[in-house]
Amino acid sequence: MSEPSHQAHHAGHEGHQGYEGHGHHAPEEHAHHAHTGHPAKTTWRMAASATLHCLTGCAIGEVLGLVIGTALGWATAPTIVLAVALAFFFGYLLTLIPLRRAGVDWGAAIKLALAADTVSIIVMEIVDNGVMLVIPGAMDAGLATGLFWGALAFAFLVAFLVTTPVNKWIIGRGKGHAVVHAYHH
């Protein structure tokens, strides 16, 4: 079994506190050796957790970008560009912080964050910005309106619902958040 599939298998063990039966070694050591006989099982709960992680970073960046763009009176296009850029920044940051705390060097942490989050963030950004654009008046509504915040909340919900199956498929193939699982223990 490939190591990413093995990591995806471990991600399905709720409450799994270590690598019993795997010896005592650091997560980065665990990430570089293979096992056999472990079926990969990607659960909806695992995919939803990865999507929620992504959504949190995206939401922080998007809200900040939309607030800044709207407060500065920017047009829709530059506001969305700023919101998307900040969504990627905060999405990656929320993965980088725990990797750095786990002792992963900057270069490896950045590569892992890019591998773990890029597809998820892209899908989420396309969906939530698309929803905001199709809701009449949502992008032009002021920050003090229910329309703006209601549309944004709805956009995030739709993005979560669309991105979760994508993440389930990606994790099931040992990609996405499966590549950082060994560092979450």
Side-chain angles (χ1 to χ4, degrees):
M1 163 179 290
S2 70
E3 185 59 28
S5 296
H6 175 72
Q7 290 170 353
H9 167 72
H10 279 293
H13 292 297
E14 309 307 330
H16 184 68
Q17 296 300 314
Y19 295 105
E20 292 82 16
H22 298 131
H24 300 288
H25 47 264
E28 59 275 10
E29 292 169 334
H30 179 79
H32 298 293
H33 69 268
H35 294 279
T36 58
H38 294 290
K41 174 75 171 131
T42 305
T43 66
W44 283 105
R45 182 176 179 172
M46 184 187 323
S49 176
T51 305
L52 187 57
H53 171 92
C54 179
L55 180 63
T56 301
C58 288
I60 292 168
E62 288 246 356
V63 169
L64 186 59
L66 292 172
V67 167
I68 291 169
T70 303
L72 295 176
W74 289 2
T76 299
T79 299
I80 288 177
V81 169
L82 177 62
V84 169
L86 290 174
F88 273 91
F89 173 79
F90 284 101
Y92 291 137
L93 185 65
L94 290 184
T95 297
L96 282 171
I97 291 170
L99 289 171
R100 291 290 297 146
R101 285 185 183 151
V104 178
D105 68 75
W106 277 107
I110 290 169
K111 287 177 186 174
L112 285 166
L114 291 171
D117 294 325
T118 300
V119 173
S120 184
I121 294 172
I122 289 170
V123 171
M124 192 159 292
E125 289 307 299
I126 289 170
V127 172
D128 72 50
N129 283 291
V131 170
M132 286 296 288
L133 288 170
V134 299
I135 295 176
M139 288 300 297
D140 296 322
L143 296 175
T145 67
L147 173 60
F148 175 82
W149 294 105
L152 188 59
F154 179 69
F156 286 147
L157 173 64
V158 172
F160 177 83
L161 294 174
V162 170
T163 308
T164 298
V166 172
N167 279 333
K168 186 175 188 301
W169 182 79
I170 291 168
I171 294 167
R173 277 136 191 83
K175 309 284 187 202
H177 273 264
V179 301
V180 296
H181 173 72
Y183 302 96
H184 290 300
H185 295 287

